[in-house]
Amino acid sequence: MHSPVVLGVESSCDETGIGIVSEGELIGEALASSAPEHARFGGVVPEIAARAHLEAVVPTIERSLDAAGLSLGDITHVAATSGPGLATAVHVGLASAKALAWALDVPLYGVHHLAGHAAADTLDHGPLPERSMVLIVSGGHTSILKVGDLAVDRIEHLGDTLDDAAGEAFDKVARLLGLGYPGGPVIGRVAVDGDPTAFDFPRALRGGGEHAFAFSFSGLKTAVARQVERLQFLGAGPDDLPVADLAASFQEAVVDVLLMKALKACKLHKISTLVIVGGVAANARLREAAQVRCDRAGIELRVPRPSLCTDNGAMIAAIGDLLVRAGGRANTLALSPDPSAVLHQSQLPALV
Ligand code: KG4
Ligand code: ZN
């Protein structure tokens, strides 16, 4: 029996990502981004993203095959994000994946985008341990999850954000500080020159109880807005706001609350591996602080390389490859997307 060669298609937001994974190994990938087309609107415009996916998907598949040194006939399985994400964007990638699976006569797996984020780490650090705590920090989601075998076990949510996601907070604060879109990378760069203790921004829901592992970032965003208004009231013009200090103090508040809760969850559930994934996991300060705090707590930290944290096709191929190797049944070609799917299982819809 030949090794499976899984091609993954990601199109949930503004990145058209294609990855090719075989037995846990990334053998080729390519990415096209429509982010520059959204910049002037300050956020992703779904129709523009969908049209860009339609233009990019075939050339991106070709580039990923070239990178892997393979041709279409070598692909044995296709996996695609079937939710969550922008509906029109998911439609394009999923329809393309269906066409490919049908034309090649190979099985199709509809997968959960966030399970893909978690699986991305296995491409860098090998199989996950029997039990791990996964902190997902993306543009649309922020959750602490108890994870076993990603391909088989049900995923348990210990806590989710009650309002904005961590990445969304970065994007909104960047807009407020006039730094543009997407906000995460630019805040990370600007914050390098700032003082993280300059402003004491709130860390919400720090207590125990029902919200011990839940997050709330909308109050933090408002606190930054109030601080900007206060500085302007005191006479600061648009060019003399302490943007680096504001960015660094905001970033520190996000990083602090994320790690405080993730480590508390590891301790309470006696789990010794913390995996941090999703776009915000590309943040240098989060990566550095996580390493220091995990070392201190005796917890093994796993964070994929930054290009595997932000949306990409390799992560979708990775979760597809895990499902294939676990012997999971494929979806039918009647599969339809679920743009607001909650992460309980890696495959969508869950097949029982
Ligand atoms: O996982 P992702 O690429 O897409 C979603 O599934 O949402 O995450 C995108 C989010 C955006 O909000 C972006 O601002 C944030 O991740 N992000 C970052 C960094 N790079 C991307 N946030 C902080 N620091 C970064 N370096
Ligand atoms: Zn994502």
Side-chain angles (χ1 to χ4, degrees):
M1 186 84 180
H2 289 301
S3 303
V5 179
V6 184
L7 183 140
V9 182
E10 157 57 27
S11 73
S12 66
C13 192
D14 56 354
E15 322 280 356
T16 313
I18 307 293
I20 302 171
V21 168
S22 182
E23 298 196 309
E25 222 182 292
L26 175 59
I27 52 181
E29 64 170 327
L31 191 73
S33 178
S34 61
E37 294 179 57
H38 306 288
R40 71 192 170 99
F41 301 103
V44 178
V45 182
E47 284 306 324
I48 294 178
R51 198 206 55 221
H53 286 306
L54 199 53
E55 285 170 4
V57 69
V58 170
T60 310
I61 290 173
E62 285 170 341
R63 285 198 288 125
S64 72
L65 288 167
D66 284 349
L70 296 177
S71 60
L72 267 184
D74 297 314
I75 301 303
T76 62
H77 301 77
V78 177
T81 296
S82 67
L86 302 170
T88 52
V90 174
H91 284 156
V92 176
L94 186 57
S96 308
K98 282 187 184 188
L100 199 56
W102 196 15
L104 297 176
D105 194 20
V106 300
L108 172 74
Y109 291 77
V111 303
H112 197 291
H113 175 81
L114 298 177
H117 272 303
D121 185 66
T122 65
L123 298 174
D124 271 346
H125 302 120
L128 290 178
E130 211 168 299
R131 284 166 9 115
S132 52
M133 199 60 77
V134 176
L135 171 65
I136 292 200
V137 274
S138 75
H141 297 85
T142 299
S143 303
I144 298 180
L145 309 167
K146 222 168 116 179
V147 168
D149 183 330
L150 262 183
V152 178
D153 297 332
R154 202 174 156 78
I155 294 162
E156 189 185 336
H157 287 240
L158 298 184
D160 303 282
T161 183
L162 303 180
D163 41 57
D164 294 347
E168 191 179 355
F170 270 91
D171 294 334
K172 287 179 174 172
V173 166
R175 196 180 314 162
L176 176 76
L177 297 178
L179 296 173
Y181 170 86
V186 63
I187 288 203
R189 280 195 301 276
V190 168
V192 170
D193 300 318
D195 173 3
T197 63
F199 300 99
D200 187 16
F201 289 133
R203 276 75 166 153
L205 311 175
R206 351 173 24 137
E210 65 166 324
H211 294 319
F213 302 119
F215 298 98
S216 168
F217 292 109
S218 77
L220 171 59
K221 170 197 67 193
T222 307
V224 179
R226 293 287 163 273
Q227 189 58 248
V228 168
E229 283 165 15
R230 195 183 72 88
L231 292 164
Q232 284 167 341
F233 179 75
L234 294 175
D239 293 334
D240 36 46
L241 274 177
V243 171
D245 286 349
L246 287 162
S249 302
F250 158 77
Q251 176 177 266
E252 200 62 19
V254 176
V255 165
D256 192 25
V257 82
L258 288 175
L259 295 177
M260 188 194 311
K261 287 177 180 255
L263 286 168
K264 208 200 280 184
C266 289
K267 198 167 160 197
L268 186 75
H269 290 266
K270 299 188 171 51
I271 288 181
S272 58
T273 303
L274 174 64
V275 189
I276 309 184
V277 295
V280 181
N283 182 269
R285 176 65 192 140
L286 175 60
R287 300 169 76 94
E288 171 194 85
Q291 194 62 64
V292 170
R293 293 207 204 178
C294 284
D295 286 349
R296 210 185 296 147
I299 286 172
E300 186 206 0
L301 174 68
R302 298 175 49 137
V303 195
R305 73 188 99 144
S307 63
L308 288 179
C309 291
T310 46
D311 288 349
N312 63 84
M315 68 190 215
I316 302 305
I319 188 63
D321 172 64
L322 289 173
L323 287 165
V324 169
R325 287 190 290 143
R329 248 188 325 133
N331 292 87
T332 71
L333 291 184
L335 168 66
S336 82
D338 183 351
S340 53
V342 177
L343 177 59
H344 293 301
Q345 276 183 320
S346 296
Q347 194 167 2
L348 278 180
L351 298 175
V352 281

